[in-house]
Amino acid sequence: MKHVTQKATRHVNQNEGLIFEKSSPGKGAWRLPPLDVPDVDAAELLGSSERKDLGQLPEVSEIEIIRHFTRLSTWNYAIDLGMYPLGSCTMKYNPRVNEVVSRLEGLANGHPYQPEKISQGALRIMKTLSDCLIEITGMDDITLQPAAGAQGELTGLLMVRAYHESKGAPRKKILIPDSAHGTNPATAAMVGYAVENLKSNANGMVDVAALSAQMNEQVAALMLTNPNTLGVFEQEIHKIADLMHSKGGLLYMDGANMNALVGKVRPGDFGVDVMHLNLHKTFSTPHGGGGPGSGPVAIKKILRPFLPTPIVVTKSDGTLGFDYDRPQSVGRVRAFYGNFGMFVRALAYTLANGPDGLRQTTEDAVLNANYIRKGLEGVYDLPYSTPTMHEVVFSDKLQLKKGVKTMDIAKRLIDYGFHPYTTAFPLIVPGALMIEPTESESKEEMDLFIEAMRAIAEEVEQDPEMVLQAPHSTRVSRLDETAAARKPVLRWKPSQSH
Amino acid sequence: MKHVTQKATRHVNQNEGLIFEKSSPGKGAWRLPPLDVPDVDAAELLGSSERKDLGQLPEVSEIEIIRHFTRLSTWNYAIDLGMYPLGSCTMKYNPRVNEVVSRLEGLANGHPYQPEKISQGALRIMKTLSDCLIEITGMDDITLQPAAGAQGELTGLLMVRAYHESKGAPRKKILIPDSAHGTNPATAAMVGYAVENLKSNANGMVDVAALSAQMNEQVAALMLTNPNTLGVFEQEIHKIADLMHSKGGLLYMDGANMNALVGKVRPGDFGVDVMHLNLHKTFSTPHGGGGPGSGPVAIKKILRPFLPTPIVVTKSDGTLGFDYDRPQSVGRVRAFYGNFGMFVRALAYTLANGPDGLRQTTEDAVLNANYIRKGLEGVYDLPYSTPTMHEVVFSDKLQLKKGVKTMDIAKRLIDYGFHPYTTAFPLIVPGALMIEPTESESKEEMDLFIEAMRAIAEEVEQDPEMVLQAPHSTRVSRLDETAAARKPVLRWKPSQSH
Amino acid sequence: MRYLPKSPADRESMLKAIGVRSVDDLFAFIPAEYRLERDLKVPRQMAESEIVDWFRERSRENGDGYASFLGAGAYSHYRPVVIDALISRGEFLTAYTPYQAEVSQGTLQSIFEFQTMICELTGMEVANASMYDGSTAAAEAVMMAARLTGRRSVVIARSVHPEYREVLATYAFHQGMPLSTIGFADTGRVDIRALEKAITEDTACVLIQSPNFFGTIEDVAAIADVVHKRGAKLVVSIAEAVSLGIVEPPREADIIAMEAQSFGVPLGFGGPYCGVIATREQFVRQMPGRLVGQTTDRNGKRGFVLTLATREQHIRREKATSNICTNQALVALMVNIFMTIYGKIGLRELAKQNLAKTVYAAKSFGKHGKLLFSGAPRFNEFVIQTTEDPKAINSRGLGHKIVGGLPLKKFYPELRNASLWCCTEMTTRSSIDTAVGLVAESERSQRTTDEESAVQEVGR
Amino acid sequence: MRYLPKSPADRESMLKAIGVRSVDDLFAFIPAEYRLERDLKVPRQMAESEIVDWFRERSRENGDGYASFLGAGAYSHYRPVVIDALISRGEFLTAYTPYQAEVSQGTLQSIFEFQTMICELTGMEVANASMYDGSTAAAEAVMMAARLTGRRSVVIARSVHPEYREVLATYAFHQGMPLSTIGFADTGRVDIRALEKAITEDTACVLIQSPNFFGTIEDVAAIADVVHKRGAKLVVSIAEAVSLGIVEPPREADIIAMEAQSFGVPLGFGGPYCGVIATREQFVRQMPGRLVGQTTDRNGKRGFVLTLATREQHIRREKATSNICTNQALVALMVNIFMTIYGKIGLRELAKQNLAKTVYAAKSFGKHGKLLFSGAPRFNEFVIQTTEDPKAINSRGLGHKIVGGLPLKKFYPELRNASLWCCTEMTTRSSIDTAVGLVAESERSQRTTDEESAVQEVGR
Ligand SMILES: Cc1ncc(COP(=O)(O)O)c(C=O)c1O
Ligand SMILES: Cc1ncc(COP(=O)(O)O)c(C=O)c1O
């Protein structure tokens, strides 16, 4: 590598095959206690339903399992290792105390159907978290049931639909800005709505004129992300809300970017009727390689009758319980009550911060994004100069002249010891570099990031080929995704040698 | 690297400065609960004893701490990553359940001075472990107090000395074979004994003739490691024991190599009077980068009066308690009762194995060592062809012709994805390669090790310089130990830049 | 705030670099009337020790230390400690979805292994990782069947988990998918005759569960025949994954929607769990959720990547097979490790212990209460009918630190005083005996009260 | 056995490769009469779940859930959860002593940071990492002083932890080192006049502890004057490390022997703990234990190595400064992380809370029992003298889930019914009030019984 970086070096790293390649008959990592009841004859009990063989399941010992997954883990990048500037993903610090409290016996081993009398701890946690989130969003009520943001969107739109139906007709369309995340249109479709695209204006914001032109009695709701996926706050949000309401429509807010607002602005105060939160973004629950998440949906009073069942209520005797008797409810969106373990973590995060901590967190998140914008302006093309909140979006326009695309720059960033930024969207920025540092990055780490991005820009000028071939420091080089999709190999087979 | 190895590759790895280089005033990772008693004025209370400033202690946030130590950890090799063939160190798998049970509230938070009435759990653990270790060693009694093997040796020799004193005179000398570990002579000196060296015979075993010549009424004891540090069982152990006893001397066994004997042979049965165990070797408690350990000392009846205080006793009411009233005791070797946390782990290991597991463990440990011996015989010089137990010792004689020493081969092993073997001793083998696989290595991992060692031997022939320059794959190359010792820099100083 | 890595000086110098005076300038763009000028009304910042204490309190209020006989879609199995030791490694815990393969091979390879093991266990050819839970997996599987067949309506067995059915109803309703429900026979199994009647030309699929909500193992082969004859797809939901250790998987199914919670995932008051969809290779492009595929790097070295992304929302938007994005990856890793620990032999032995405990319990309970659905094989759950309302028996049980079976009246009023009991390898004989004692006592007292009233009759 | 990574087939092929028929052939070299032909009489192989259950039982029998006022060398402070999260990483937990620097930089750099922070806290120039515990650190420090001075005898303050004194006695005895003990004044501090008398030409060092066993802070400067005038060394033992947050360190000492358990190490029924020795640069070559030094690699890159190994047993054998080999490295890492978390400001605030709780408690107890040694400043321990035997009061305390202070009669008979109480940031005001209530009640009942007997006197 031309540029020496202070951020990373190469170091010896263990190889490891597939677990099946380590298996051999007679090894095992399990042992059961002696049976304290008479043993049984499975064949006799199950007859033709008895299973005789478990096929290719592995047989390995405990130390091999420890080594297998420990070695695999060293092939991953993670927040614990460094900055993870994925735009829109809010990769912030995941506090360890959250993991400890979520594993406390009574919480980890509580059965969802155990009597309410012995579930007061879990119910109290759900109630307290709900109260905090309602206050933070400025809404009137909330459901914690959705398992992630996308399911939050689903739940929200189901309530929108139920609301309109209660008024006579479900309406036909959902308006969605072209800058929106893919889950927004995908969700609208799942709820049986047609998706109508809404063009952004020159500042990357909703074109209010266009909106008023497109808004009519066919439109059930506008799905707006605020700040939007450019990291820009929709300044005319009040006009937008009024416009929607004047035609009987509702304003849905995708709350994925709440990390820019907590403690500073409340969606409930600027006209939002329904919104989801991503506890695995704004509220620090770990991403875990892709999940689990949690996507609570906060609403205004008008939507309360339609909340999924059950809801947590305070009973006459002061204890907490579940209310299932909700005739107008949209029904359940999943079994039980949601990803409870994430509620515990999100509440622990909220208690660790308090009002002052939450506000400071938001301020630092916005400060960091603006610091990076300042550090890279000019070096990378900034398609929208509108003020930046929690994330900033550049484009690869300047580097494209040398044939280098955003994904190439992203891969080269790996050699500099960073995880790439988001490259996949927003679609309104061709070749987007979507960068969200979050509040968890120190000035030191961000200076290294800016230094790396500037160095890469230089490399693009001097030696684009090297950037196109990146990464150069990883145990595997760029992988052939086309081949993977053309002839999919989706499982290991005994025949297959490595 | 010439030889491609299947064992390891290089991968991007995070750099990280000293924590002090990340510190800046106003950052912090701590928060205290509100004080529930009146605050105080330290100056008024402590006067001139009040401390005003804590100097260079760092000020950093929680995420910086997580990243700092996570990054540092990735620079270490560990059992969890691969084979750790350090001879004499018994680097075996450290079961995770041991860590879980040792952290159970009542055990982790028990105060050493809490009333016996509410200490029955801890006392039961000490009693049960003692009973198991007495059975395993074939001795009559035991103390768990010593903090590690070396302190076990100290405790053992103190008892030897007290025993001889009770018979009139402490005697003057301890006989120690030239193959012994450094702690043996160092310990003898601490107990005020002169060390007399005992030559090994051509088979690397105690020269019984020489022993009988050197043995007399001046000799308090013989400190014998069995199997010895060559991994050879002292076949004439019965003669040796008789010889010692016939002249009123005692036989001390360094039990560091018990991993070769558990469940197969009991030192108590072959004439040993006193011995120590290393729970952090044979009984799987983690080495933790150098400790903590635990070095129980098992004894024959004749030494019982001299055990350190206190000892665990069963009281008339059936409960357990401590007995401090031991007039002939050598006294305490440390405060409280020893490294209790290691007792929990060692007992958990014993219960997980049971009699069959313990025997199989020993058999596998010996099987592995012999497999490696077979795989490397001829490629490396084997100074002693006596049968191998749990470890095998080669020498660099053949490679020395090319100017390559054991340490160079060891460093090159790192490039092949292994931790080096032991190079520092036994002193009777110049340029020793002391290899102990333990039972925890699979055939697959050992085949890779043998392949690597054979490849290195070839490299020594073809390109010795490359081996002398190894390692080539690590984040730092060979470090200058001479400079470190000439002008020691033992702490960071503000002035110092990196 | 202890999570924030900045000193006042850092903030100052950054503001200077940006060229603003204060951090408020960065929020000036937001209309003033919407800016919050007060503190949020949430609890004050707490010390770590206070947080731990507060949740300890909640934990104590939450049924800590009871022996439970609850199953019904959430099962209590032993979780080997290795699972948490490994998933707690920051490299797994704090990584994002593995879009950047070169620095995500750990997550990717483990998912590939997960997919392989799920295929082996279910007898299917492809499996995804993962769906939110068993209920949404079932609903998504049904949508998938609709896409595969181009048909609209769905037939559901009443013996499918009631809450799974509710979720499907929610998902299907706004898609205008007509649902019909078919009942169960005295054996507890699907009423095949009713099934045959229910399937129409427009039936996209039939959804059953096996072992079903009552613990009864369905005759999947027979059902599959009926379903396939009518050109519909068979979707089988599996809520108790451990059953796969000793119960033949529903190989005749077209899609299997599974809840893998039993494989090393804490009960956690209902979530997070791990849904999985497994199916045949030919259907893979209509499958929702993430798939990892094997490929090679530029040097021909084996590696793994997310693949067939053209099914997903971030590429296809409103035309995607599902809107799912964040899934249950870390939970899938728990499941993966659990399957690896027990493996080919252990998983069968584990399932066998569940079977043995259940046989013992069902026999013992049957001596006093009425054991329903005894005509068909079952795995680790059974239904007992008592004279007294099971709620009453259970509340007495709490006194003995016993949580009794799930009263079924709410879901199946026709079964009256029936309750659903579950035994796993964690259930001890002594707790079974205690629980049986409670039922026996209840029956005795009921009988005597009957007799008394009888006596009074005579008396008149 | 689940920890063993071998199949029967593996073992077979390995035996074949070695060229023996059975594994017993590998043990044939051992004389037959010593080979064990039976099973060891240890408990049968247990499942992981059984092991966890067994130790849970033991844990419950071990004072779980009591509020404790015990200190006396083992202190209950809050342990930030980050500590266990980090030391549980296999790369730290399962690594050996960092002899091979190129693959041990993580451990080495963290020890270098540890040494630096200990120097800053103690005011010394060099610190090792680590000794077994505070007691052996003190004993080794005394041996070190003897090597430095070439003198043989030792003077020990009676206010040093009694068990530390016992350990020193054990170590010193067989080295033929005469020990003399000096008492304490009413202030609880070392009796300086007695000290002056006790020191002779042959006195290698004086060992004191500050804060001492009674929690009293010694006047180290004054003591140092006396000691140094006679050419002896001053060794100061520190048992409560948190005191260093607000109490001036004994900078006048020549060697500091410290127990760092207070810094994030569990009480763990007495161990493992973390001993440390800190001293002046000029004495480093007589220091026992491990030292990490900074150096550079062949490319001039900063790195760290174990250094000055010529002091150690593996090089010097019988001439080594100590026989210590395995030490308390992982515990030192806990201490390191704890110091890093609290840091420059937090450690002082933490110490201040300890001080405040102790002041409140000492005042409250003093209203009923007699507060001894009130003439000198103290940190977080104090001695209360009661009319009744404190053992009796404490056993009543257990009923209120309170573990009272340590009765001192065993160690200091002359203090009669005195007990040593400790308060930390973990001690709540309400538990203090409860404990004070017990003492108050005891005093009241004692007084009344006295009066009664008095009355009877009169009655005659
Ligand atoms: C703007 C936006 N909306 C919605 C989502 C979907 O949320 P989830 O992944 O939790 O389903 C995301 C997450 O990537 C997002 O960034
Ligand atoms: C043979 C032998 N004896 C004694 C010891 C010293 O034991 P410890 O390091 O536990 O003090 C060791 C450890 O390295 C050893 O290998």
Side-chain angles (χ1 to χ4, degrees), chain D residues 146-457:
Chain D
R147 289 193 298 273
L148 286 169
T149 56
R151 300 176 173 188
R152 304 296 305 152
S153 68
V154 187
V155 176
I156 317 171
R158 196 136 184 291
S159 49
V160 170
H161 192 302
E163 293 194 359
Y164 286 25
R165 287 185 279 128
E166 287 179 46
V167 171
L168 179 57
T170 309
Y171 272 65
F173 181 67
H174 297 294
Q175 312 240 334
M177 294 177 74
L179 305 180
S180 61
T181 306
I182 49 154
F184 45 88
D186 316 345
T187 57
R189 285 178 159 181
V190 166
D191 178 340
I192 300 244
R193 230 167 260 77
L195 173 63
E196 277 177 316
K197 289 209 204 68
I199 306 177
T200 72
E201 291 312 303
D202 187 49
T203 303
C205 68
V206 173
L207 172 66
I208 66 165
Q209 178 180 324
S210 182
N212 67 23
F213 189 67
F214 308 127
T216 306
I217 298 161
E218 295 285 0
D219 182 350
V220 180
I223 294 170
D225 279 348
V226 176
V227 175
H228 290 147
K229 269 206 205 70
R230 307 295 197 76
K233 302 281 178 223
L234 176 61
V235 179
V236 179
S237 161
I238 301 173
E240 168 50 295
V242 167
S243 66
L244 290 168
I246 202 158
V247 175
E248 187 60 10
R251 301 181 194 275
E252 306 80 359
D254 300 288
I255 310 174
I256 292 177
M258 173 169 160
E259 169 55 72
Q261 176 269 330
S262 290
F263 286 170
V265 184
L267 282 170
F269 205 64
Y273 288 175
C274 181
V276 191
I277 286 183
T279 185
R280 315 197 170 290
E281 208 142 10
Q282 77 211 69
F283 303 148
V284 70
R285 283 165 203 278
Q286 283 306 330
M287 204 171 186
R290 296 232 163 84
L291 289 168
V292 167
Q294 177 177 317
T295 184
T296 54
D297 76 355
R298 292 180 172 180
N299 311 314
K301 194 168 170 184
R302 176 171 73 181
F304 304 91
V305 294
L306 289 174
T307 191
L308 301 178
T310 51
R311 303 162 300 112
E312 295 186 66
Q313 47 74 27
H314 62 282
I315 309 286
R316 284 294 280 291
R317 302 181 75 87
E318 58 266 46
K319 299 190 186 48
T321 54
S322 166
N323 68 337
I324 191 167
C325 179
T326 291
N327 53 30
Q328 306 289 115
L330 195 72
V331 189
L333 180 58
M334 293 188 201
V335 171
N336 184 3
I337 297 168
F338 182 96
M339 292 188 290
T340 307
I341 290 170
Y342 280 96
K344 187 182 172 69
I345 309 302
L347 198 53
R348 188 172 200 283
E349 290 305 312
L350 174 64
K352 194 143 175 290
Q353 279 209 358
N354 278 255
L355 208 54
K357 303 260 190 178
T358 307
V359 166
Y360 174 81
K363 266 213 198 85
S364 318
F365 278 103
K367 292 200 193 96
H368 308 282
K370 178 159 183 285
L371 178 67
L372 299 186
F373 313 133
S374 49
R378 73 174 67 86
F379 180 53
N380 66 357
E381 292 174 284
F382 56 92
V383 178
I384 287 289
Q385 210 170 43
T386 49
T387 317
E388 187 184 10
D389 182 337
K391 282 215 175 71
I393 304 175
N394 286 351
S395 59
R396 287 197 294 277
L398 292 182
H400 301 75
K401 285 279 179 185
I402 295 259
V403 177
L406 178 73
L408 291 177
K409 207 174 259 161
K410 174 180 162 198
F411 297 131
Y412 302 92
E414 73 270 35
L415 297 180
R416 297 196 312 289
N417 287 341
S419 52
L420 177 65
W421 295 68
C422 174
C423 294
T424 72
E425 77 281 5
M426 307 281 277
T427 317
T428 63
R429 180 184 199 138
S430 69
S431 59
I432 294 173
D433 295 345
T434 313
V436 168
L438 291 164
V439 170
E441 190 189 303
S442 151
E443 290 301 324
R444 225 178 292 110
S445 62
Q446 294 294 316
R447 233 179 286 106
T448 48
T449 46
D450 295 1
E451 280 156 9
E452 277 159 10
S453 41
V455 172
Q456 287 158 10
E457 293 293 316

Side-chain angles (χ1 to χ4, degrees), chain A residues 87-90 147-153 179-184 225 227-229 254-257 276-281 287 290 293-295 391 425 434 436, chain C residues 96-97 99 132 290 313 323-327:
Chain A
S88 207
C89 300
T90 314
Q151 206 187 23
E153 298 172 25
S179 59
H181 187 268
T183 50
N184 294 184
T225 308
N228 65 26
T229 60
D254 179 331
N257 295 343
H276 79 260
L277 293 163
N278 304 65
L279 299 188
H280 46 297
K281 297 181 180 192
H287 272 267
S294 179
E391 70 192 353
F425 85 120
M434 190 188 203
E436 178 181 14
Chain C
Y96 193 69
T97 304
Y99 288 121
Y132 300 134
R290 294 232 164 84
Q313 47 74 27
N323 70 336
I324 192 166
C325 179
T326 290
N327 53 30

Side-chain angles (χ1 to χ4, degrees), chain B residues 133-147:
Chain B
L133 296 179
I134 287 168
E135 162 69 2
I136 288 167
T137 54
M139 306 292 280
D140 300 327
D141 208 339
I142 197 165
T143 174
L144 302 177
Q145 199 175 99

Side-chain angles (χ1 to χ4, degrees), chain B residues 88 148-150 153 181 183 225 254 256 276 278 280-281, chain D residues 96 325-326:
Chain B
S88 207
E153 298 171 25
H181 187 267
T183 50
T225 308
D254 180 330
H276 79 261
N278 305 65
H280 46 298
K281 297 182 180 192
Chain D
Y96 194 69
C325 179
T326 291

Side-chain angles (χ1 to χ4, degrees), chain A residues 413-433:
Chain A
L413 206 41
I414 291 170
D415 291 328
Y416 280 85
F418 288 96
H419 190 281
Y421 45 74
T422 294
T423 58
F425 85 120
L427 303 182
I428 58 169
V429 177
L433 287 65

